Amino acid sequence: MPREVRERQMLDAAVAAFARHGYQAASMDDIAEAAGVSKPLVYLYLKSKEDLFMACVRREVGALVAAVREGTRARGLTADQQLWRGLTAFFAHTAARPDGVAVLYRARTQGEPFAREVAAMRVEVVAIVTALLGQAAKDAGCPSELAEREVSGLAHALVGAAESLAEWANSRTAEHFFADEAAGSTTAPSAKETAATLMNFCWAGLENLMKGARWTPAPGPARGPAPAPAPARGRPGG
Amino acid sequence: MPREVRERQMLDAAVAAFARHGYQAASMDDIAEAAGVSKPLVYLYLKSKEDLFMACVRREVGALVAAVREGTRARGLTADQQLWRGLTAFFAHTAARPDGVAVLYRARTQGEPFAREVAAMRVEVVAIVTALLGQAAKDAGCPSELAEREVSGLAHALVGAAESLAEWANSRTAEHFFADEAAGSTTAPSAKETAATLMNFCWAGLENLMKGARWTPAPGPARGPAPAPAPARGRPGG
Amino acid sequence: MPREVRERQMLDAAVAAFARHGYQAASMDDIAEAAGVSKPLVYLYLKSKEDLFMACVRREVGALVAAVREGTRARGLTADQQLWRGLTAFFAHTAARPDGVAVLYRARTQGEPFAREVAAMRVEVVAIVTALLGQAAKDAGCPSELAEREVSGLAHALVGAAESLAEWANSRTAEHFFADEAAGSTTAPSAKETAATLMNFCWAGLENLMKGARWTPAPGPARGPAPAPAPARGRPGG
Amino acid sequence: MPREVRERQMLDAAVAAFARHGYQAASMDDIAEAAGVSKPLVYLYLKSKEDLFMACVRREVGALVAAVREGTRARGLTADQQLWRGLTAFFAHTAARPDGVAVLYRARTQGEPFAREVAAMRVEVVAIVTALLGQAAKDAGCPSELAEREVSGLAHALVGAAESLAEWANSRTAEHFFADEAAGSTTAPSAKETAATLMNFCWAGLENLMKGARWTPAPGPARGPAPAPAPARGRPGG
DNA sequence: AATGAATGAGGGTTCATTCAT
DNA sequence: TATGAATGAACCCTCATTCAT
């Protein structure tokens, strides 16, 4: 059997094992057995447990980023729609490959070499989102002086929320985490619905940023809604 | 040395070890040594590794919930201020006890007995937040028919975002996660600032809920800002 | 509380523990707790686990030998009746103090210092039995040249059989050993019945010895009953 | 080195260790070292200490039963000779494999799973003996109404006595038990001699059963030998 | 007379990893 | 290409035993 095929079998088995049990608790014995090969072969192809885990992480990072990029790449769409498509792709991927996502989730707590990989991925994704948000703001007639830093903050929040929601959808690792909600809803929401929900949040935030509206701890006399400035002309509707 | 003191030393050492290395990788030998006692004593007081971890989890759950409750308990404050204070307390706690929070974070992936404990805590916190948000909406003159379910959704998002931010602040477990930002900013934002940022988010979301404003994927011709309904009279300003 | 009382409590607890779990598996913690004292006190009175076990063994050896001697000491009885009384006393003791007997049983497999103690006891008992058997043979008109060695062999067999039966009666350590029989009989036979059964055996053997009757492997033509020599005049009847 | 060979080495070492030190005191380290392998290999082949002990017990049970069966299987022999051969085989086995027998001896006090195995073996052996005794009685012209239960009792006593004698022969575990005798005799009796001695006992008992002769505690005036009924025609001579 | 506090030592078990083939 | 055989190291846990009071 050609090396590539064998190698993919091993990675598949490893991803499943790491997702289910975590890095430490997953045993090379189990992985080899699940892959249908002997242990020395695993060591021949992937040099160690660390390398095997890293290979899993990299593969899943690539798959996730590719999925998101693919979603946003469509031509002829406005920025907000691209963003929505990217989110949809993200949630669809998350639902389709729960084990792969779980591996990334585990990698984040696994220290030096692994966490860095996931962090890099995150940086990449945040950059994409920031660019799209900025573009959307511009499209909506937002004055360009809107601090990039603020948009970046919004992007971070959006990505964090997306991760949170994805974690929730991944019932394997998080089935007890949202136990209250899980009890109430019989089926998980579709990727599109979830993405729309997030868009809503994000849009509200963006609008606020553009309007300069803020919540402040000190209750002032004039905390009513600020008079909406020049109403956004473009897509972000209210 | 009296038992109680020793026991706290052990829990402290254990929390640190579990936070740093995770449940599996932390060794009882190291914990005992860090606590300045011999291993048998650890087993004498806390019966097993599982029990020790559970004791850590429960202690940190208690401390975290207590901190948040304490923040919200102040009298004579409006609901939104209570919420802000609660968030501030949460972030302050998170910054003050990064190891404790990391333990809770680890516990969520450690399976049945532990994840349940954290899930229960989360349910508790979400309930608190939901109540405050609902009260705030009412204070702002929101029609009571605003679905409680939607407020609860917002509460979930808020809590998720708070966790995300806290994770970021916890430099120990997440130092590589936001490597980009960590490199850029020399100091972490204060708990109050972080809380205010989150309040902004949450307020934007709440306003949207009250206005019934939504983002929808299909670009319609009239996606401009909906005519603001009865402008909120109270605190949630724009 | 006076030392003697405490010491007996400890020995009682130790005998129970050793009987139930064996020397190795019985823990000093459990013994101390069962005795209602703290562990250091056990070490203060009985110096070590070995010494504690030895004290148990010696106490139970003494009790057993005393019981048997007491049974045989009655005056005005024929030798066979003394023997029967001794056996009865032995089985009664065995039934009354199963834990004590179990300790002796365990001690036999516990190596040097302990096995020797039980062996010495056994030698003592065998000597008593041998004397009684010899006396009984003489009383029955047996020619004195009956080899003492043969009588001693019979005594050994008798003692071995008694031990076997006692082990059976001691349901704690041997409840599965004779599972077939245990299923059939609802109640254990009384000490007197058991003793009588054994007397029967021993008497048959003694008679054979006196008659010089033997079973031999080679089937000779004249293997019919040997002409009974001078029929035993006395008690050992056929 | 092939697995089977290694596995037998391990079992050999384990049998020796368990025989010498008992189940609890024998350490897996020592067993592995004695077997000339590392500890993990022992765990790879035999899954745990319990399983290892059980494997030893089963192997030795099988070997012992096979030896006895082999002894009795000879054709063209009368029942009593078969019995004698079986006993001889038993004692020969006992002398040849003292450690194996000691393991069975230890197993009897080691609780549920192990004691049951030995008990089952004993039931099997008793059944063989009972059958042979019954056949022998019939051959000797014994009236068939001789209660099977009584024969079974005799069989039990015989087996118990055999065990006792075997224990004595097994110098390793019982070297102090019969210290008196061991000191007196320079060489252990051969298996054949021991078997003949036991046959003698057993034959005496069988004869008594057939004649209905009994020893009773109460000394009556007419305790002389009962008039021998129809003298046994066959092999069991007196 | 009695104990709470504490430990050195060792046992069973598992795991990542390698050799020889 | 692929594996059966084998291990060094480490981990969780327990126990007999002592010290200071």
Side-chain angles (χ1 to χ4, degrees):
Chain A
M1 184 170 302
R3 170 161 184 158
E4 282 182 19
V5 178
R6 277 272 193 250
E7 209 161 317
R8 225 189 47 200
Q9 287 177 348
M10 292 177 197
L11 282 184
D12 288 344
V15 164
F18 287 134
R20 238 172 284 266
H21 309 296
Y23 176 64
Q24 323 259 356
S27 89
M28 294 296 272
D29 278 85
D30 295 348
I31 290 172
E33 183 177 346
V37 296
S38 70
K39 238 185 323 176
L41 199 60
V42 179
Y43 278 88
L44 186 64
Y45 285 179
L46 303 139
K47 292 207 60 155
S48 68
K49 196 186 190 185
E50 268 201 46
D51 286 8
L52 172 57
F53 189 51
M54 186 59 108
C56 292
V57 170
R58 285 212 238 261
R59 187 175 89 168
E60 297 306 325
V61 160
L64 179 52
V65 170
V68 171
R69 270 199 204 288
E70 186 60 30
T72 64
R73 215 191 308 273
R75 294 278 151 164
L77 293 179
T78 56
D80 62 325
Q81 281 178 325
Q82 283 183 46
L83 185 54
W84 175 67
R85 294 234 179 163
L87 284 172
T88 303
F90 173 72
F91 288 118
H93 180 86
T94 270
R97 293 177 75 110
D99 283 354
V101 174
V103 163
L104 301 183
Y105 183 68
R106 303 274 192 179
R108 278 169 38 188
T109 59
Q110 221 45 51
E112 244 318 300
F114 312 116
R116 185 195 307 283
E117 212 75 13
V118 181
M121 175 196 76
R122 206 187 140 100
V123 168
E124 207 174 334
V125 171
V126 167
I128 297 174
V129 171
T130 302
L132 286 177
L133 280 181
Q135 181 62 36
K138 216 186 313 178
D139 290 352
C142 173
S144 68
E145 72 265 14
L146 179 57
E148 184 180 328
R149 183 178 162 82
E150 287 192 281
V151 173
S152 168
L154 182 53
H156 262 120
L158 178 59
V159 170
E163 286 170 350
S164 236
L165 286 175
E167 192 182 32
W168 162 52
N170 183 353
S171 60
R172 171 120 54 245
T173 56
E175 58 192 336
H176 303 295
F177 194 62
F178 288 83
D180 55 335
E181 280 202 328
S185 69
T186 54
T187 67
S190 77
K192 286 190 179 180
E193 287 167 349
T194 311
T197 298
L198 257 184
M199 284 305 289
N200 252 315
F201 264 115
C202 145
W203 234 235
L206 194 56
E207 227 176 329
N208 271 10
L209 282 181
M210 294 189 308
K211 288 187 300 185
R214 297 290 185 277
W215 179 95
T216 62
R223 295 272 305 316
R233 191 184 37 76
R235 301 278 334 295
Chain B
M1 184 169 302
R3 172 169 183 152
E4 281 182 20
V5 177
R6 276 275 190 247
E7 208 161 317
R8 227 191 44 202
Q9 287 177 350
M10 291 177 199
L11 281 184
D12 289 344
V15 164
F18 287 135
R20 237 172 286 266
H21 309 295
Y23 175 65
Q24 326 252 0
S27 92
M28 294 297 271
D29 277 86
D30 295 349
I31 291 173
E33 185 176 346
V37 297
S38 69
K39 226 186 336 175
L41 199 59
V42 180
Y43 280 90
L44 188 63
Y45 286 176
L46 302 137
K47 297 205 62 152
S48 67
K49 197 186 190 183
E50 266 202 49
D51 285 10
L52 173 57
F53 190 51
M54 187 57 112
C56 292
V57 170
R58 285 211 238 261
R59 187 176 87 167
E60 297 306 326
V61 160
L64 178 52
V65 169
V68 171
R69 270 198 203 288
E70 186 60 30
T72 64
R73 217 190 306 275
R75 292 277 151 162
L77 293 178
T78 56
D80 61 326
Q81 281 178 326
Q82 283 183 45
L83 184 55
W84 174 67
R85 294 233 179 164
L87 284 172
T88 302
F90 173 73
F91 288 117
H93 180 87
T94 269
R97 295 177 74 110
D99 284 353
V101 175
V103 162
L104 301 184
Y105 185 67
R106 303 275 192 179
R108 278 169 36 188
T109 57
Q110 220 44 51
E112 242 322 299
F114 311 115
R116 186 196 306 283
E117 212 77 10
V118 181
M121 176 197 75
R122 206 189 140 98
V123 168
E124 206 174 334
V125 171
V126 167
I128 297 174
V129 171
T130 301
L132 286 177
L133 280 181
Q135 182 62 34
K138 216 187 310 180
D139 290 351
C142 173
S144 67
E145 72 264 17
L146 180 57
E148 184 181 328
R149 182 179 163 82
E150 287 192 281
V151 173
S152 169
L154 182 54
H156 261 119
L158 178 60
V159 170
E163 285 170 350
S164 236
L165 286 175
E167 193 184 355
W168 162 52
N170 183 355
S171 59
R172 171 115 57 242
T173 57
E175 55 192 338
H176 307 294
F177 193 62
F178 287 82
D180 55 333
E181 280 202 330
S185 68
T186 52
T187 65
S190 76
K192 285 189 177 178
E193 286 167 349
T194 311
T197 297
L198 257 185
M199 283 305 290
N200 254 315
F201 252 115
C202 137
W203 235 236
L206 194 56
E207 226 177 330
N208 270 10
L209 282 181
M210 294 192 306
K211 288 190 301 188
R214 297 290 184 278
W215 178 95
T216 63
R223 297 271 306 316
R233 190 184 36 75
R235 301 280 330 299
Chain C
M1 184 170 301
R3 170 162 185 157
E4 281 182 21
V5 177
R6 275 273 192 250
E7 209 161 316
R8 224 189 48 199
Q9 286 176 350
M10 292 179 198
L11 283 184
D12 288 344
V15 164
F18 287 135
R20 237 171 285 265
H21 308 295
Y23 175 65
Q24 324 258 356
S27 88
M28 295 296 272
D29 278 83
D30 296 348
I31 291 172
E33 184 178 345
V37 297
S38 70
K39 237 186 323 176
L41 200 59
V42 179
Y43 279 87
L44 187 64
Y45 285 179
L46 303 138
K47 294 205 62 154
S48 68
K49 197 185 189 185
E50 269 201 46
D51 285 9
L52 172 56
F53 189 51
M54 186 58 109
C56 292
V57 170
R58 286 212 238 262
R59 186 176 90 169
E60 296 306 325
V61 159
L64 178 53
V65 170
V68 171
R69 271 201 203 288
E70 185 61 30
T72 64
R73 216 189 311 271
R75 293 280 151 162
L77 293 179
T78 56
D80 62 326
Q81 280 179 325
Q82 283 182 45
L83 185 55
W84 175 67
R85 293 232 180 166
L87 284 172
T88 302
F90 173 73
F91 288 117
H93 180 86
T94 268
R97 293 176 77 110
D99 283 354
V101 173
V103 163
L104 301 184
Y105 183 69
R106 303 274 192 180
R108 278 169 38 188
T109 59
Q110 221 44 52
E112 244 319 300
F114 312 115
R116 186 195 306 284
E117 211 77 11
V118 182
M121 174 196 78
R122 206 188 140 100
V123 168
E124 207 173 334
V125 172
V126 166
I128 298 174
V129 171
T130 301
L132 285 177
L133 281 181
Q135 181 64 34
K138 216 185 314 178
D139 289 353
C142 173
S144 68
E145 73 262 16
L146 180 56
E148 183 180 328
R149 183 179 159 81
E150 288 193 281
V151 172
S152 167
L154 182 54
H156 262 119
L158 177 60
V159 170
E163 286 170 350
S164 235
L165 286 175
E167 191 183 37
W168 163 52
N170 184 354
S171 59
R172 171 120 55 245
T173 56
E175 57 192 335
H176 303 295
F177 193 61
F178 288 82
D180 53 336
E181 281 205 329
S185 69
T186 53
T187 65
S190 76
K192 285 190 178 178
E193 286 166 350
T194 311
T197 297
L198 258 184
M199 284 304 290
N200 251 315
F201 252 115
C202 139
W203 235 236
L206 193 57
E207 223 175 334
N208 270 10
L209 282 182
M210 294 191 308
K211 285 190 303 187
R214 295 290 184 278
W215 179 95
T216 63
R223 295 257 325 307
R233 193 183 36 76
R235 302 280 332 294
Chain D
M1 186 168 300
R3 173 169 182 150
E4 281 182 20
V5 178
R6 277 275 191 248
E7 208 161 318
R8 225 189 46 200
Q9 287 176 348
M10 291 177 197
L11 282 184
D12 289 344
V15 164
F18 287 135
R20 238 172 284 265
H21 310 294
Y23 176 65
Q24 327 252 359
S27 92
M28 293 296 271
D29 277 87
D30 295 349
I31 291 173
E33 185 176 347
V37 296
S38 70
K39 229 185 337 172
L41 199 60
V42 179
Y43 279 90
L44 188 63
Y45 286 177
L46 302 138
K47 297 205 61 151
S48 67
K49 198 185 190 184
E50 265 201 52
D51 284 9
L52 173 57
F53 190 50
M54 187 57 112
C56 292
V57 170
R58 283 212 239 261
R59 187 176 88 167
E60 298 305 326
V61 160
L64 178 52
V65 170
V68 171
R69 269 199 204 288
E70 186 59 30
T72 65
R73 216 192 305 275
R75 291 278 151 161
L77 294 178
T78 56
D80 62 326
Q81 280 178 326
Q82 282 182 46
L83 185 56
W84 175 67
R85 294 231 178 165
L87 284 173
T88 302
F90 173 72
F91 288 118
H93 180 87
T94 269
R97 296 176 75 109
D99 283 353
V101 174
V103 162
L104 301 183
Y105 184 68
R106 303 275 192 179
R108 280 169 34 187
T109 56
Q110 220 45 49
E112 241 321 297
F114 311 116
R116 185 195 306 283
E117 212 76 10
V118 181
M121 175 196 77
R122 206 187 141 99
V123 168
E124 206 174 333
V125 171
V126 166
I128 296 175
V129 171
T130 302
L132 285 177
L133 280 181
Q135 182 63 34
K138 216 189 311 181
D139 290 352
C142 173
S144 67
E145 73 262 15
L146 179 57
E148 184 179 328
R149 182 178 163 81
E150 285 193 282
V151 173
S152 168
L154 182 53
H156 261 119
L158 177 59
V159 170
E163 285 170 350
S164 235
L165 287 176
E167 193 185 355
W168 163 52
N170 183 353
S171 60
R172 173 115 55 240
T173 56
E175 55 192 339
H176 306 294
F177 193 62
F178 288 83
D180 55 334
E181 279 201 331
S185 68
T186 52
T187 66
S190 76
K192 286 190 178 179
E193 286 166 351
T194 312
T197 298
L198 256 184
M199 283 304 289
N200 251 317
F201 264 116
C202 143
W203 235 236
L206 194 57
E207 228 175 330
N208 271 11
L209 281 181
M210 293 191 307
K211 289 188 301 188
R214 297 291 184 277
W215 178 95
T216 63
R223 295 272 305 314
R233 191 183 39 75
R235 300 278 334 295

